[in-house]
Amino acid sequence: MTTHPYPSPDARTQPGVPDRAAPAAVVAHNVAKSFRTGRQLTEILHGVSLSVNYGEMVAVMGPSGSGKSTLLYCLAGLESVTSGEVQLNGRSIASCSRAELATMRRSEIGFVFQAYNLIPTLTAVENVSLPYLLDRRPPPMDVIEQTLATVGLGERLQARPPSMSGGEQQRVALARVLAQRPRIVFADEPTGALDTRSGVLVLDELHRISEHPEQCVLVVTHDPTVAARCDRVLFMRDGLLVRELRPTGVDEVAATLAGLSQQTEG
Ligand code: ADP
Ligand code: MG
């Protein structure tokens, strides 16, 4: 059995205190984001509102260029928003100092990037240990090896990225995030470059996280089979959330996505 360093949900409920709902893990209020390229200011997100609760796995889908990655970066505090507000665990990102944000990123938030960002000269174990070392904490080797094993890399602990397949590298990158035991996991197309078997392993692991009542996952994906395993799917088009689905199957997700793309092209 794995142990988690988080308090049980009951620990938050104090007798006699009015039963205030726990804050959602991620809340966005009317988030807009513009980029300046040269003299031109282009608005990419036009006012996105959403919330993700602990214990949930939520997918974001939409045509390429619709702003999914930008949204994820804004929600994780990796990009500043132009207007609107993002709250993580009840705290407004804008009210956090740089140092507080850095601490929050280290201890509460995990981000699985589209690119693996592994250090080629380090082994799998060393790559996963790196966030601990950068943070001057001793890497818990049992947690690190166990996490690599859960993503199917128990036999590849000493392998280095150049000798790994793309799928193996993506799973090291995922293990590096998961070994930090983040409460909120953001993942940008984590199965995009994977073969089916690796994709299933990654998806299973993300799913396992979101089943924990103190953790949640927000995943950008093109893959209807990934989205169909989520509690909710948010559909994005041209910088806006345009639909939400509680998916009942892969076909339903694929049909909704296809409808969305047609409207964009038309
Ligand atoms: P998606 O992930 O849905 O494919 P992105 O969020 O990556 O979409 O990009 C949405 C739009 O924002 C694209 O037109 C892209 O060119 C633009 N964009 C993304 N990041 C930047 C940036 N740093 N500077 C300028 N434009 C950007
Ligand atoms: Mg993207």
Side-chain angles (χ1 to χ4, degrees):
M1 201 183 95
T2 50
T3 54
H4 290 266
Y6 319 114
S8 74
D10 293 339
R12 285 192 315 226
T13 321
Q14 291 172 32
V17 176
D19 196 18
R20 249 187 74 217
V26 184
V27 176
H29 283 302
N30 214 16
V31 164
K33 175 69 183 175
S34 303
F35 287 111
R36 184 175 291 284
T37 36
R39 283 178 155 190
Q40 195 146 342
L41 194 65
T42 312
E43 192 173 85
I44 303 297
L45 302 177
H46 306 297
V48 173
S49 299
L50 60 84
S51 76
V52 180
N53 295 311
Y54 289 110
E56 263 197 320
M57 179 157 165
V58 176
V60 177
M61 298 191 96
S64 182
S66 57
K68 303 179 298 294
S69 295
T70 304
L71 175 64
L72 218 58
Y73 291 160
C74 286
L75 296 176
L78 298 171
E79 286 274 10
S80 60
V81 302
T82 309
S83 65
E85 190 187 25
V86 175
Q87 293 173 5
L88 296 174
N89 194 26
R91 284 204 66 186
S92 170
I93 291 186
S95 75
C96 294
S97 68
R98 255 173 191 276
E100 285 172 329
L101 202 54
T103 307
M104 203 197 279
R105 267 202 222 106
R106 275 200 304 268
S107 55
E108 291 183 30
I109 302 168
F111 202 108
V112 184
F113 290 93
Q114 228 168 337
Y116 317 134
N117 300 320
L118 300 178
I119 310 283
T121 52
L122 299 183
T123 65
V125 165
E126 289 165 347
N127 266 289
V128 176
S129 304
L130 200 57
Y132 283 98
L133 298 173
L134 293 174
D135 208 20
R136 296 182 192 175
R137 289 176 292 156
M141 279 307 156
D142 52 339
V143 171
I144 286 166
E145 290 182 8
Q146 188 199 331
T147 308
L148 279 163
T150 55
V151 297
L153 293 173
E155 311 288 311
R156 301 285 278 149
L157 299 178
Q158 301 307 323
R160 292 172 212 275
S163 73
M164 294 179 170
S165 69
E168 287 176 330
Q169 291 183 45
Q170 179 62 293
R171 284 181 279 144
V172 176
L174 179 70
R176 186 174 53 186
V177 169
L178 300 186
Q180 299 293 311
R181 303 245 166 101
R183 297 184 69 192
I184 307 173
V185 175
F186 296 98
D188 194 354
E189 302 194 28
T191 62
L194 303 186
D195 58 272
T196 310
R197 208 180 118 256
S198 301
V200 168
L201 281 170
V202 168
L203 184 58
D204 284 348
E205 201 46 38
L206 290 174
H207 207 262
R208 213 181 340 263
I209 293 167
S210 70
E211 281 172 345
H212 192 279
E214 293 285 322
Q215 289 179 288
C216 65
V217 175
L218 186 59
V219 57
V220 168
T221 184
H222 279 299
D223 187 344
T225 57
V226 172
R229 284 194 58 189
C230 293
D231 299 296
R232 287 185 290 142
V233 188
L234 310 176
F235 291 92
M236 201 163 186
R237 196 180 64 212
D238 299 333
L240 283 170
L241 292 181
V242 291
R243 267 203 80 173
E244 177 175 335
L245 197 68
R246 288 191 177 271
T248 55
V250 178
D251 292 347
E252 181 194 26
V253 173
T256 309
L257 187 65
L260 216 64
S261 302
Q262 272 165 12
Q263 288 168 40
T264 299
E265 283 154 21

